[in-house]
Amino acid sequence: MDEMQVTCPACGALLGVPPDAAGRSVRCGSCRHRFQIPATDSLSEDDIASLLDAADDKVDLAEQAHVDADEEPSLGSTIVASESIDRPTGVRLAKLGPSAAMFEFPAKLLREASFRCTMPRTCMRCGARAHLRPHVIVFASSLADKEALRSLLASGVLICCEPDIDRLYGADLLKHLPHVPNASPPADQPMPYWMCDMCNPEGLVVGQIIEHARTGEKICRLRVANIHRAQEFLTDAGGSEADLAMLAKASDVAQENPWDQVPLVVRQRLEQWFKAEPDEHFIAYVPDRDLSRTEEGMAGLVVSDRRVVYHSHLRHKEAPNTEPIELELAMTRDEGLLKIRTVHWAVRRIAVDREGVRHLRRALMLGKFKAAWR
Ligand SMILES: [Zn+2]
Ligand SMILES: [Zn+2]
């Protein structure tokens, strides 16, 4: 029941394996290739490479359901809703892991502008709704060479930098996005996803275009390494009720961990001055708005379920949630100044924005602080 789905790196077949198979060596039921199942579901650079390498071969999806019964036991191909694979009409969930989902859909859907705009308008990694930039998904086949993909991502060719691009929607937006170079239609059509300016897009969204050997039909595979975003995408793309239910269940299990929501570069800076103790849970970071966005993480407040930590380049202070804390806020429009007084120390001036204040109020409540606001 709870089996895990993996892709054979040699032939691209989707295989069902027992949940405890991670890290073990298995043999593909369709091409007999022996390979090791990754220990975790996160996508390494090698995984991307093998995912894309697999696209070099024409894959007959119908053939993959065939399992050889002879010799040593091999893994049968269990494909979710395998009946619909021959002639898919829309987007279907092909594979679901604890932290990623793989979709399949006919490549011709890429010709529809409305379909190409179905990726959620939030940062694919951290869920931020501000400071977003569109990135373009590469459905690699002929250019399915990891170096090409890597250089495309690294060079930023597929990121649109036009000012005010985030105010555009639908066809207006698509017009302004770069086409995928060296790709043949319809895979050259821009299909945007969104990242905030702090998060690294690498490995989050991987596209592949394969050709059905018998019918010649082109099929896109799209891997989204964030269950919540995958769920939002399938909802908008009109997935089947069964697929949506499976994703909803997975999304409930993959509770959004507040620490994971913080962009990686900010987390690395926070780690310089906030290390969670065993059993301590990070709740929120409230940036010091005297710093620019590119310096985010270097100063501000961290609230956990045990303590509040204030850090700037001059001072570092902490107070446990068992002691009373007084906060005084003076807001003008979207910015404000915050004063904090604890039993042992006080900070007279922290520049905050409205979002930071909202996070702080909520975090102090969740962390069961004895906070008094004035
Ligand atoms: Zn195989
Ligand atoms: Zn982000």
Side-chain angles (χ1 to χ4, degrees), residues 93-107:
L93 179 64
K95 199 176 129 182
L96 181 60
S99 61
M102 167 102 79
F103 301 102
E104 284 186 355
F105 56 87

Side-chain angles (χ1 to χ4, degrees), residues 121-133:
R121 200 112 166 172
T122 58
C123 174
M124 200 45 90
R125 194 178 293 279
C126 73
R129 287 171 195 279
H131 306 282
L132 296 177
R133 283 274 157 264

